[in-house]
Amino acid sequence: MRQRQRRAALAPLVMAALVTAAATACAPPLRDLGPLPPRFTGPPLTADTVVSEMTSVLAAEGVTVKREPSGVLGRCMERLSGRHEPHTVEAAVKAAVARARSEHGWQAGPDTGSETITLKKSNWTVLVGFNGEPAQGIQAPVIVSLMCLDGGASTAPATPTGPAFTPVPAAS
């Protein structure tokens, strides 16, 4: 009876060893490909800098937008919104995107479809969407979403609300 229990206990260990040996023998050796590329290039930009750039390029094309309060603590998101004449809104926004690329160094972002334009710069991604035709007599909405990877905190850093951390010295 004990011998049967020992065999039952050894079986999973033997199987694990065999699977590990087979996987190691069949897998190609890992090559060191060097460090991973950075998630973004250039120094991180602040939210205020990005909002200012995007507001100015849109204003240069006649599109007036206002910065909305973020409202999401600990996240790197901003939103600009405004309204523009419906028959020229798409051309004005596309001209503003071209101006952002040529004058401010923004790059084309990933293609997300015909209804949006995406731009990238440093740690920020800007998404501009085109809504359908607005109702007769109403100006077309313009919404620009700005998102950062990390390091794009606004100029006013958040103050900690909890007690300060005091490390305890290790016992000798």
Side-chain angles (χ1 to χ4, degrees), residues 8 12 19-20 54 61 69 88 97 107 112 114 117 119 126 128 131 135 145 152 154 162-163 167:
V19 169
T20 303
M54 292 312 296
E61 297 301 328
T88 60
V97 166
Q107 301 295 317
T112 57
S114 63
I117 296 176
L119 295 173
V126 173
V128 182
N131 295 334
S145 298
S154 64

Side-chain angles (χ1 to χ4, degrees), residues 13-150:
L13 294 174
V14 170
M15 288 301 293
L18 288 173
V19 169
T20 303
T24 305
C26 296
L30 296 176
R31 293 182 305 146
D32 183 9
L33 300 176
L36 290 173
R39 292 178 70 181
F40 56 87
T41 58
L45 300 174
T46 64
D48 293 337
T49 302
V50 174
V51 167
S52 174
E53 275 187 15
M54 292 312 296
T55 302
S56 70
V57 296
L58 287 164
E61 297 301 328
V63 179
T64 304
V65 292
K66 293 182 181 175
R67 185 178 189 173
E68 293 182 4
S70 179
V72 182
L73 297 176
R75 298 210 117 219
C76 233
M77 297 185 76
E78 294 289 334
R79 184 172 157 167
L80 304 174
S81 64
R83 294 201 168 270
H84 192 71
E85 294 299 320
H87 57 280
T88 60
V89 67
E90 191 168 333
V93 171
K94 285 183 178 181
V97 166
R99 182 181 297 269
R101 292 181 69 190
S102 65
E103 293 179 11
H104 296 279
W106 287 85
Q107 301 295 317
D111 185 15
T112 57
S114 63
E115 298 295 317
T116 59
I117 296 176
T118 308
L119 295 173
K120 294 184 328 182
K121 182 177 178 182
S122 186
N123 57 326
W124 286 87
T125 300
V126 173
L127 184 68
V128 182
F130 297 106
N131 295 334
E133 292 293 319
Q136 186 90 18
I138 297 176
Q139 288 190 323
V142 177
I143 298 173
V144 180
S145 298
L146 306 113
M147 299 154 283
C148 75
L149 291 173
D150 51 27

